[in-house]
Amino acid sequence: MLGDINEWPATTLDWKGFGKAIDDNAMPNKKTYNVNGDSGIKAQIQFADQKQEFNKRPTKISRRSLSRSISQSSTDSYSSEERPQQPSTGYSLPHSAQTKAKGTLPAPKEAMKIWLAYPAASYTDSSDDETSPRDKQQKNSKGSSDFCVKNIKQAEFGRREIEIAEQEMPALMALRKRAQGEKPLAGAKIVGCTHITAQTAVLMETLGALGAQCRWAACNIYSTLNEVAAALAESGFPVFAWKGESEDDFWWCIDRCVNVEGWQPNMILDDGGDLTHWIYKKYPNMFKKIKGIVEESVTGVHRLYQLSKAGKLCVPAMNVNDSVTKQKFDNLYCCRESILDGLKRTTDMMFGGKQVVVCGYGEVGKGCCAALKAMGSIVYVTEIDPICALQACMDGFRLVKLNEVIRQVDIVITCTGNKNVVTREHLDRMKNSCIVCNMGHSNTEIDVASLRTPELTWERVRSQVDHVIWPDGKRIVLLAEGRLLTLSCSTVPTFVLSITATTQALALIELYNAPEGRYKQDVYLLPKKMDEYVASLHLPTFDAHLTELTDEQAKYLGLNKNGPFKPNYYRY
């Protein structure tokens, strides 16, 4: 078993304290109504004949989920003594609607009004307000206006999402509990630029519990959950982010986090390197007080190594992306689940029999290929690294060049971290209705800029889904405008993000508390002991029991009984 945190050798982390049931028999025989609601929604409400099987076995259904569609919900009938149950969101029916609903089934138009009164299950895109958050004057309940979010009134819904996420993030909750005494981040002023989701909110509130002050912006213009950003702002976190930012908004939000009177960051938590780049470009003197950078993406780490090689990296940096717990869990297992979720939500397509090319066979590519293969897709792989290429071949995938299959594939997925992987030439040769998406952090992998020309027509299908139409009528389906598919078009598993977030928190603690001289102006990997500690915090979720080495076994292997158990060069 891993020992107590106080036993860790040569590491800074030895700080202390670390609706009423509905009877289908009551439904009338088949009737059809054409309904034109006040909001312009046209619906056809059909009451099915329930005389046969359901008459024999009446079915009781508990409170209807808010996520049911309007057309489904409108078919529900109520007994003479019941009124509609209040949805779980806390919204109640208007009094007039309750009165009309009482006694008999309301008229079709009124039934539609009742269910239109309920908000959608997800609140991020539910607002019709097109006013830019930058033009709004908002304050939270404490009177603070040091934030910029879509709608502060959505905070209650965001708080509920955060509470759900906490249940799947056991390690961060454990860190909070251990921080009740001495706070290892007391005095830390962390400026962050990551995806703003419920999982990130749990991380931010954990950093706050550990003693840190935080200011936050989004690293992706499409991935912010507006209700979560509102909940954080309501809790007192200066958050500057909303879903659907423009490029100008994106940099404005980052600047508002950094450039604030009377507040100087001393730690950076970045995802993609944009925050680090902005400080280098606009406020280079800030690095005199910054103790370190923690970076979690392939793109951001690449930029850090470039700075280091050029001798321009002026503070220590921790490469979280290449830690074992990030690579093997977030990059592999997370993408294995989220790729299917993102594609299904945006295109509703069936995967069986579809031909897919995945560009890149790193951990992200491996996860995508495994998921698609399991669903019956025919998967091709492109790769530049002969080792990764051989792995793809041994896993049963055909290794090709993109040019060889671009005319025949149904889906193109990029996950390389590179630029111009899919060029205009490739896009021109794709078959009609080919789906194109990116699983990498940056929007550079697909040459989207080349598609913004007069001869091509862009047609918005739904949120994050565009048709790009050629003059001859051929079209491709572009998802999230070539940006990260998973958090732009879907969600990712909370438990996996718990692993990554815990790794980020420990890296911040390590750099902030490290004695002068331990880390130089270079890029470092997370110490192996910390990787193992992160993993150990998540094992109780599975009721997993680690085997302990005996003294004799530990001596034979030349290991400490409490780890680390593998050398740094070990490949998991």
Side-chain angles (χ1 to χ4, degrees), residues 19-28 50 54-62 64 75-79 82:
K20 167 73 172 74
I22 299 170
D23 191 339
D24 290 272
N25 291 321
M27 298 184 70
Q50 303 291 332
F54 285 95
N55 281 342
K56 300 176 183 176
R57 294 180 298 172
T59 303
K60 297 281 185 176
I61 305 173
S62 60
R64 296 276 176 168
T75 64
D76 295 343
S77 62
Y78 303 95
S79 69
E82 293 297 327

Side-chain angles (χ1 to χ4, degrees), residues 268 270 272-281 287 293 295 299-317 521-523:
I268 295 174
D270 210 353
D274 291 315
L275 172 59
T276 304
H277 167 76
W278 187 256
I279 296 177
Y280 263 105
K281 180 181 177 181
F287 281 102
I293 303 168
E295 172 60 57
T299 304
V301 166
H302 178 66
R303 291 176 177 177
L304 288 176
Y305 280 118
Q306 285 181 323
L307 287 172
S308 179
K309 186 176 180 180
K312 296 180 179 180
L313 184 62
C314 50
V315 295
Q521 297 171 353
D522 205 348
V523 184

Side-chain angles (χ1 to χ4, degrees), residues 298-360:
V298 173
T299 304
V301 166
H302 178 66
R303 291 176 177 177
L304 288 176
Y305 280 118
Q306 285 181 323
L307 287 172
S308 179
K309 186 176 180 180
K312 296 180 179 180
L313 184 62
C314 50
V315 295
M318 195 72 80
N319 170 7
V320 169
N321 180 73
D322 291 312
S323 64
V324 176
T325 43
K326 173 67 165 62
Q327 278 281 345
K328 290 296 179 180
F329 296 93
D330 192 331
N331 292 11
L332 175 61
Y333 298 116
C334 177
C335 294
R336 191 174 69 183
E337 296 193 17
S338 59
I339 180 62
L340 300 179
D341 184 24
L343 288 171
K344 277 287 188 186
R345 291 196 195 202
T346 51
T347 67
D348 302 316
M349 79 176 312
M350 185 172 182
F351 299 111
K354 293 295 192 299
Q355 296 192 60
V356 185
V357 60
V358 177
C359 301

Side-chain angles (χ1 to χ4, degrees), residues 138 414 558:
Q138 301 184 80
T414 59

Side-chain angles (χ1 to χ4, degrees), residues 184-199:
L185 288 176
K189 297 181 178 180
I190 302 171
V191 59
C193 184
T194 67
H195 301 283
I196 297 185
T197 62
Q199 296 81 14

